[in-house]
Amino acid sequence: MRSAIRRHSLDTTLTNRGTGDTGMIILTVESTCDETAAAVVTDRLEVLSSVVASQDDLHQRYGGVVPEIASRAHVERILPVIDRALHQANITLADLDAVAVANTPGLAGSLLVGLTAAKAIALAQDIPLLAINHIQAHVYACRIASGEDVFPCVGMIVSGGHSSLYRCNTPIDFEMLGSTIDDAAGEAFDKVASLLGLGYPGGPAIQRAAEGGDRRAIRFPRPLLSDRDRLDFSFSGLKTAVRYHVVGPGKPAVDAPSLSAQQINDVAASFQEAVVDCLIGKAELAVARTGMNTLCVGGGVAANTRFRERLEASAAEHGYQLHIPPLKLCTDNAVMGAIAIERFRAGKIESLDLDARPGLIRPRRGRASIGEP
Ligand code: KG4
Ligand code: ZN
């Protein structure tokens, strides 16, 4: 127990933020998809603890996240995860100055679990409840990791649920530039891995297989890459192209593809290169179009070694500043929820009727704000 930490009332927190000995202490909660996570952070972006309980083992046999299983697992894990985060930070609930929770976008049932836990803490402790937009948080991971003010920037989110590009004017003011029109990049990795019998989650499995393969072995399509008028992605046709290559058109899926280990590695490497080409092409186009000199990349697919390598080469070639967080801040975590401090500073404190908003707001006529949590 850190006896030096003062327990602020709501009012003194608002007026004294950042000026006390310890600064403001915030518990952040993340349960948007299949990771149950909690962290304790300060308004100076110090990370006092971070706990992530992955559900990979539960979803493995289905080759993807099963929403009902995810929400049930969140219910079982949320309190132990929060307890562990407080314990690791050497504090108790009484030391918290605010509690923040990701309430959008994500799986409805999963979001509700984190939201309910955070509301209960806000109510019981009489502390401010703050909302976290999960997409904005993925970009903010670059701010936390670099220690630099990365805004304004182009934000690129590539995960299991999203593949999108944003003009990020401030940490909490995003305009969508483009997004996938079908599958997300991570979803394509997961589905192709499943087709190749490589297991779940597919991204790391494809990456491992690709290390032993030839990325020039098969020329898979690069959907929308040559369309210079749009900043959108499409991975569904690429996934189908891999399927046709592996099992043939019109044939049913097979349990294990009848390819040799080397052929599987070649398919994995060629598929990965096609995805990376699409992502890099649109990231470069977004930087050029917006005239912004900084690109911040986040989401699980940003953990991909080949993608990171190609991004670094692209930044060097085109002269823009690139930020990609370390791996554990790319995949879902609660540390990136420290973005809540930006909303707190902007006076955005939520009432206890804050709702979960599962959907992502898509652009209409090419321009849209990402929407409020
Ligand atoms: O951001 P994240 O943890 O959760 C979502 O918000 O979706 O992203 C998970 C996704 C999964 O589809 C997983 O296969 C992918 O990120 N992923 C990767 C890698 N590590 C995780 N994809 C490609 N290469 C990786 N090394
Ligand atoms: Zn995510």
Side-chain angles (χ1 to χ4, degrees):
M1 173 67 203
R2 291 193 337 183
S3 54
I5 295 171
R6 281 180 298 120
R7 160 85 168 87
H8 304 283
S9 74
L10 173 59
D11 285 341
T12 54
T13 303
L14 287 166
T15 50
N16 290 348
R17 64 191 147 100
T19 57
D21 291 340
T22 53
M24 202 178 150
I25 297 180
I26 307 170
L27 172 70
T28 56
V29 177
E30 154 66 41
S31 67
T32 58
C33 188
D34 64 337
E35 259 91 29
T36 321
V40 178
V41 298
T42 73
D43 57 348
R44 298 168 192 153
L45 299 185
E46 296 150 321
V47 180
L48 304 185
S49 69
S50 172
V51 177
V52 181
S54 161
Q55 299 179 9
D56 285 352
D57 53 331
L58 300 180
H59 302 287
Q60 208 145 25
R61 58 193 284 228
Y62 305 101
V65 177
V66 181
E68 187 58 27
I69 293 177
S71 30
R72 283 167 190 267
H74 284 307
V75 170
E76 287 167 10
R77 295 165 188 211
I78 193 82
L79 294 182
V81 163
I82 289 173
D83 268 349
R84 199 177 308 165
L86 294 172
H87 182 76
Q88 278 181 10
N90 207 18
I91 63 167
T92 69
L93 285 175
D95 295 313
L96 295 175
D97 295 301
V99 56
V101 60
N103 73 318
T104 189
L107 301 171
S110 294
L111 288 169
L112 284 172
V113 178
L115 187 58
T116 308
K119 283 182 183 179
I121 292 170
L123 179 66
Q125 299 302 124
D126 189 21
I127 52 176
L129 173 69
L130 305 172
I132 297 165
N133 179 306
H134 182 75
I135 296 287
Q136 293 175 342
H138 268 304
V139 173
Y140 202 72
C142 295
R143 162 76 185 88
I144 299 166
S146 69
E148 288 170 32
D149 182 9
V150 298
F151 299 92
C153 63
V154 171
M156 180 178 210
I157 307 303
V158 273
S159 71
H162 310 284
S163 301
S164 14
L165 283 158
Y166 296 92
R167 177 197 289 274
C168 311
N169 301 311
T170 72
I172 54 171
D173 174 16
F174 283 27
E175 289 165 42
M176 188 186 271
L177 298 168
S179 71
T180 181
I181 58 169
D182 40 56
D183 290 357
E187 187 181 357
F189 269 98
D190 293 336
K191 288 176 176 170
V192 167
S194 167
L195 181 71
L196 295 174
L198 293 174
Y200 176 85
I206 294 265
Q207 178 178 310
R208 273 192 303 277
E211 279 159 18
D214 175 4
R215 53 180 173 260
R216 283 171 293 270
I218 307 132
R219 180 74 193 171
F220 288 124
R222 270 81 173 145
L224 298 183
L225 180 56
S226 57
D227 186 344
R228 306 281 298 167
D229 291 332
R230 2 187 354 188
L231 288 165
D232 295 323
F233 305 97
S234 167
F235 295 110
S236 175
L238 170 58
K239 172 193 69 186
T240 307
V242 175
R243 184 188 161 90
Y244 285 174
H245 179 85
V246 174
V247 295
K251 300 233 178 81
V254 283
D255 277 347
S258 51
L259 300 180
S260 68
Q262 187 56 52
Q263 284 171 319
I264 288 176
N265 292 349
D266 287 347
V267 172
S270 302
F271 161 76
Q272 178 177 269
E273 201 64 11
V275 174
V276 170
D277 274 348
C278 295
L279 296 177
I280 297 279
K282 295 298 178 184
E284 288 174 352
L285 189 57
V287 169
R289 266 220 209 155
T290 57
M292 284 175 163
N293 198 37
T294 305
L295 174 68
C296 289
V297 188
V301 179
N304 184 274
T305 310
R306 178 67 182 152
F307 181 40
R308 296 170 82 92
E309 215 174 80
R310 291 277 310 276
L311 275 170
E312 273 158 27
S314 163
E317 187 187 337
H318 297 281
Y320 61 86
Q321 258 223 302
L322 171 68
H323 293 280
I324 330 177
L327 302 197
K328 63 174 193 267
L329 288 186
C330 286
T331 46
D332 285 350
N333 65 87
V335 170
M336 64 191 190
I339 191 176
I341 194 64
E342 305 284 349
R343 289 184 62 83
F344 181 82
R345 287 184 179 135
K348 293 178 188 290
I349 295 170
E350 311 302 329
S351 64
L352 289 177
D353 58 11
L354 176 69
D355 222 342
R357 234 179 7 88
L360 184 67
I361 296 182
R362 285 180 177 275
R364 264 178 301 180
R365 292 186 294 278
R367 253 176 84 86
S369 132
I370 188 172
E372 285 289 291

